[in-house]
Amino acid sequence: GSLERRRCLYLRTARACCQMVEVLLAALILVCSSVSCGSAGGYTGLPALGGIYYYQYGGAYSGFSGADGERAQQLDQRFYLMKLPIARAAMAVGGCLLVFPCILVLVGVLRVPWHFPAWLLIECTLYIVIAVGTVPALYYFLHSLLSVYNSSVCKEREQLYQSKGYQGFWCSLHGAEIAAGLLGCMAAMAYLLSAGLTVRDYRTVHEQKQKPLQL
């Protein structure tokens, strides 16, 4: 009835639209972080044509043999283990950022801010804390990745693959990692915008509460 219509109207508000944008950005951060983690690595030779590198690059690494093949496998595994904690941390942050706006959308649909206007002040505070906390989180993410790429493991791995004519093993940030950083900046700006909209809505609710006869 009318209650259901009022709940659906929340989804058309500016705050709800901003929250849905935050959901989308968090989902993209989660995807980019998982891509950054990549595969478990490992040299794929002719006896193992079903390996992930075979499908990713269109052919098995038949250029390696003997000690070079074993060294390539060791470097791949070490490089993967070095990046794994960073990718897992980024995925955890992305997952939290995905759940948070979903909860706020549900809270808005249930009209909790109307019954408890103080909730909007709490929501505004959480927005600001997350937006400010995103800055050091992005710094840690990019700084940690650059430390991995500047390590001797990555340099040796890059030289080994280049010596066999293989490309795509450069020690630099790739597209998914750069995209995750940019999406994090966009998410921080979206949270600041949501904080402003929350303050505006708090004032609106407070004014309407003072004039119940006009509702």
Side-chain angles (χ1 to χ4, degrees):
S2 60
L3 178 61
E4 294 298 327
R5 289 196 295 270
R6 287 198 298 270
R7 288 177 176 177
C8 292
L9 284 176
Y10 173 76
L11 299 178
R12 300 170 58 184
T13 63
R15 198 162 98 253
C17 292
C18 197
Q19 289 168 349
M20 287 185 280
V21 170
E22 293 162 7
V23 171
L24 176 61
L25 291 174
L28 293 175
I29 292 174
L30 189 60
V31 171
C32 291
S33 301
S34 63
V35 172
S36 175
C37 182
S39 67
Y43 162 70
T44 304
L46 288 177
L49 298 182
I52 189 169
Y53 278 126
Y54 177 81
Y55 294 105
Q56 184 173 356
Y57 294 98
Y61 285 175
S62 57
F64 290 101
S65 60
D68 287 340
E70 294 179 358
R71 186 56 180 167
Q73 184 179 22
Q74 293 173 0
L75 292 173
D76 276 343
Q77 293 174 348
R78 290 176 60 186
F79 180 70
Y80 168 75
L81 292 175
M82 292 173 66
K83 290 185 64 177
L84 184 59
I86 306 171
R88 284 181 173 175
M91 292 173 65
V93 172
C96 293
L97 294 179
L98 180 62
V99 173
F100 178 66
C102 291
I103 295 176
L104 295 183
V105 170
L106 179 61
V107 169
V109 169
L110 295 177
R111 296 173 58 82
V112 173
W114 171 255
H115 298 290
F116 305 99
W119 166 259
L120 291 171
L121 297 179
I122 299 175
E123 185 175 320
C124 178
T125 303
L126 292 175
Y127 278 134
I128 295 175
V129 169
I130 294 175
V132 174
T134 300
V135 177
L138 287 174
Y139 172 80
Y140 171 79
F141 175 70
L142 297 175
H143 177 73
S144 300
L145 284 176
L146 290 175
S147 298
V148 173
Y149 287 127
N150 290 328
S151 65
S152 58
V153 173
C154 184
K155 297 297 183 182
E156 183 179 355
R157 178 175 178 266
E158 179 184 29
Q159 294 175 359
L160 180 59
Y161 280 110
Q162 285 184 348
S163 67
K164 302 298 181 179
Y166 295 111
Q167 304 297 323
F169 299 91
W170 298 289
C171 293
S172 60
L173 296 174
H174 59 66
E177 294 162 348
I178 296 174
L182 294 176
L183 290 169
C185 294
M186 294 172 62
M189 292 186 289
Y191 280 117
L192 289 177
L193 177 59
S194 293
L197 293 174
T198 302
V199 172
R200 185 201 65 179
D201 289 350
Y202 174 78
R203 293 176 179 175
T204 301
V205 171
H206 183 72
E207 291 174 358
Q208 292 179 350
K209 286 285 189 178
Q210 297 300 320
K211 301 177 183 180
L213 296 179
Q214 298 180 8
L215 294 178

